[in-house]
Amino acid sequence: MQKLLIPLLMIISFNVSALLEVNLDGTKPYTEIQTAINSAAAGDTILVYPGTYYENLILDNTNSLSLISLEATTGDTTYVSQTIINGSQNQGSVILCHESVYNLTVRGFTITGGSGYLMISNTYGGGIFIHSGELNLINSVVKYNHSDKGGGITLGETGSLFLSGTVICNNISYTGGGGLLIIGTLEAQ
């Protein structure tokens, strides 16, 4: 009986996902979204409480990760405008999925203030750049971002984007794709 119990406990321990909570006021384990992302494992959920988070998030090498606001847990859409990821016009996309990103869900945020990811001599995806990987963007707003190409969102050749309940508006591109530049495939609902 003891021999069977040890393998069973090992299987159970590998299938447990975690909830990582982020709040600017310090009442939760994390005050920065990127720090929670860096601590997350496949299947984890990062729950972000209302506030303006001045960050440029890098979501490389992530698998089955959910980044959500309280909108996802309560159904209250007012949390979308209350939970803001702001790139502060620093060089870079607000959310960057550059490589090995699979089944990533971002839900219930306002994504703003991005200036795009620099590749060769152009910037791409002021708000979101999905170079390679799969992103599900749900019940979010992408606005007031800018880049040379794909002011709001750029979807790269090996990227995949699923949109549902998302508004893309008031973004600027200097050479094409103000709201959305599609190089890869897009699935919209």
Side-chain angles (χ1 to χ4, degrees):
M1 182 68 171
Q2 243 179 351
K3 291 180 184 178
L4 179 63
L5 184 59
I6 291 171
L8 182 61
L9 287 175
M10 288 176 64
I11 291 170
I12 292 171
S13 67
F14 287 117
N15 291 328
V16 175
S17 60
L19 176 66
L20 293 81
E21 296 178 284
V22 182
N23 197 336
L24 290 170
D25 68 8
T27 59
K28 301 298 177 191
Y30 300 94
T31 57
E32 294 179 338
I33 300 169
Q34 186 67 58
T35 305
I37 291 167
N38 295 345
S39 299
D44 286 352
T45 298
I46 299 170
L47 177 61
V48 181
Y49 285 79
T52 301
Y53 296 82
Y54 293 97
E55 301 186 54
N56 294 83
L57 304 178
I58 300 172
L59 289 146
D60 286 351
N61 303 307
T62 58
N63 187 12
S64 299
L65 186 68
S66 294
L67 177 62
I68 62 173
S69 75
L70 291 176
E71 179 277 332
T73 60
T74 65
D76 184 348
T77 58
T78 62
Y79 284 116
V80 174
S81 63
Q82 296 174 32
T83 316
I84 302 163
I85 307 172
N86 187 325
S88 300
Q89 302 299 328
N90 291 333
Q91 182 63 50
S93 302
V94 178
I95 296 176
L96 174 64
C97 303
H98 193 261
E99 59 186 52
S100 303
V101 179
Y102 300 101
N103 196 27
L104 169 64
T105 297
V106 175
R107 179 174 176 168
F109 293 94
T110 295
I111 299 161
T112 190
S115 62
Y117 178 73
L118 181 62
M119 283 181 42
I120 306 172
S121 62
N122 290 301
T123 56
Y124 293 84
I128 299 172
F129 180 44
I130 308 154
H131 182 261
S132 174
E134 305 164 1
L135 173 65
N136 304 303
L137 186 60
I138 302 168
N139 298 349
S140 293
V141 175
V142 181
K143 66 179 183 179
Y144 302 123
N145 300 285
H146 69 90
S147 68
D148 295 325
K149 299 181 179 187
I153 300 172
T154 295
L155 179 61
E157 289 180 21
T158 59
S160 176
L161 175 62
F162 172 81
L163 294 171
S164 178
T166 295
V167 175
I168 304 168
C169 63
N170 299 317
N171 297 285
I172 298 171
S173 172
Y174 303 109
T175 59
L180 179 62
L181 175 64
I182 301 170
I183 303 168
T185 59
L186 172 70
E187 182 180 337
Q189 183 180 49

